[in-house]
Amino acid sequence: MAIDFSALQPLGWSNAFSTQLSLEQLESSRAARVTGVERGRLAVDAGEGPFRVTLAGRFLHEQRAPDALPTVGDWVLLERDASVVTERLQRRTLIARRMAGGTESQAIAANIDVMVIVGGLDGEFNLHRIERYLVVAAQANVIPLVVLTKADCVGDPASFVARVQGRLTDGEAMAVNALVDPLGERLKPWLGVGTTAVVVGSSGVGKSTLVNTLCGVPLQATQAVGHEAKGRHTTTLRSLIRLPGGACIIDVPGMREVGLAPAAGAVDRQFRGIAELAQGCRFGDCRHQQEPGCAVRSAVERGEVDPDEWSHYLKLMAEERHHVAEHVRRQRERVFGRVVREVKAIKRREGRS
């Protein structure tokens, strides 16, 4: 029996995945979407509800990179008559960050259309932190939607929206009171049938309340947050949830760190205006600090570029360059170590012969 695509479409299946399948796979496999990951255990949905699966031994042996293993939102193939994952399909998009204390990428969610970046207006508001999420969205090439919750905690929420909107090159920003605003209507343009959104942000900013409101039922536990805006994790695992309107939404635990994954180009894509100005610098490798003929610094001095935006751009660009260089160095060390081990193995075999 061939794969029933009609049962998968409400989960976000598209031709981008159909074209990856061979005739043999169409006949001998089942396709499913990863809906949950907790401590390496996976739950998937093939159209009739989530169930637990295991990874095939061959799959585990071949997938060596940390971000090569299935994550929430991935599409996988299962054995026809067993709950065993045999293959992960190629991703359309991938939300990733740098692993804490390491140089590798950590996959957060796959096959995403919209990144909903949630920030609170009860003391947690941090424009630079939001901007880090915007770089992550630019790296994944997904649309960002910044939702500033707890709008009732400030006198002029529109001013905060304007500050965020000034840093957006794509997407939109809005302020909401998740307890009373019609979130379903306000977010409807972003949550069309077949689309997938991921909700990210710090703990205590109202992510779970937003997800519960969109779902219409309390799927995620919530906790009250005090005046200091200090909250504890209320989402403890990454999970994909089907919304009544036909979209899917992925809720992930609050992130203490938003480290940039080791990939070049994302900072320039987010700070597109500065990147375009940099084309006019005298030197192609200008760092926009003390070099003569710097078009970016001249624009800052003329008041055409926000000094705070420029300063944060320099910080993120330096971080991106460092992580990319460190990642390349680690990869070279691994390749060299593998060659050394192979040479030693050959010499041992020759010594025994």
Side-chain angles (χ1 to χ4, degrees), residues 11 16 50 53 67 75 190 200 223 225 241 315 334:
L11 288 163
V53 296
D67 63 353
W75 284 97
W190 305 88
V200 299
Q223 292 177 327
V225 179
I241 304 161
K315 179 179 180 179
R334 290 193 189 97

Side-chain angles (χ1 to χ4, degrees), residues 30-272:
R30 293 182 294 161
R33 194 168 195 190
V34 178
T35 59
V37 175
E38 184 178 18
R39 298 178 182 177
R41 294 180 297 174
L42 303 182
V44 304
D45 191 342
E48 298 180 351
F51 58 94
R52 295 286 184 182
V53 296
T54 58
L55 294 172
R58 176 182 59 80
F59 183 92
L60 287 172
H61 177 73
E62 293 177 353
Q63 308 296 330
R64 297 182 181 275
D67 63 353
L69 294 174
T71 191
V72 176
D74 266 322
W75 284 97
V76 296
L77 295 183
L78 312 176
E79 292 182 4
R80 172 60 63 184
D81 300 317
S83 298
V84 178
V85 176
T86 58
E87 187 173 343
R88 174 183 61 77
L89 298 185
Q90 184 178 345
R91 296 155 172 159
R92 289 192 299 107
T93 58
L94 175 67
I95 302 295
R97 65 171 178 174
R98 181 177 56 86
M99 295 179 67
T103 60
E104 301 291 347
S105 295
Q106 178 187 18
I108 302 300
N111 302 311
I112 303 301
D113 301 292
V114 180
M115 176 189 273
V116 182
I117 304 165
V118 183
L121 292 179
D122 57 346
E124 192 274 343
F125 179 80
N126 185 323
L127 184 58
H128 285 180
R129 186 175 180 84
I130 290 173
E131 209 157 35
R132 279 183 171 272
Y133 281 116
L134 293 175
V135 173
V136 173
Q139 189 175 66
N141 197 28
V142 301
I143 300 172
L145 172 63
V146 181
V147 178
L148 303 177
T149 60
K150 308 174 185 180
D152 56 312
C153 293
V154 295
D156 184 18
S159 64
F160 290 89
V161 172
R163 290 173 63 187
V164 175
Q165 198 70 49
R167 301 294 176 92
L168 288 172
T169 54
D170 297 297
E172 187 178 323
M174 64 175 69
V176 303
N177 181 347
L179 297 178
V180 298
D181 284 354
L183 291 181
E185 287 300 316
R186 297 197 63 178
L187 271 63
K188 187 176 181 179
W190 305 88
L191 300 174
V193 176
T195 62
T196 301
V198 61
V199 182
V200 299
S202 304
S203 295
V205 297
K207 295 191 296 92
S208 295
T209 299
L210 185 147
V211 172
N212 289 343
T213 303
L214 292 175
C215 293
V217 292
L219 295 176
Q220 304 286 11
T222 61
Q223 292 177 327
V225 179
H227 293 295
E228 297 86 1
K230 294 180 180 179
R232 290 183 294 172
H233 291 295
T234 52
T235 301
T236 58
L237 56 90
R238 290 173 284 158
S239 56
L240 181 145
I241 304 161
R242 295 172 64 172
L243 299 180
C248 293
I249 195 164
I250 296 174
D251 193 13
V252 300
M255 298 183 188
R256 292 189 180 91
E257 298 181 15
V258 191
L260 303 184
V267 175
D268 273 343
R269 285 197 293 275
Q270 164 55 28
F271 294 84
R272 194 174 303 160

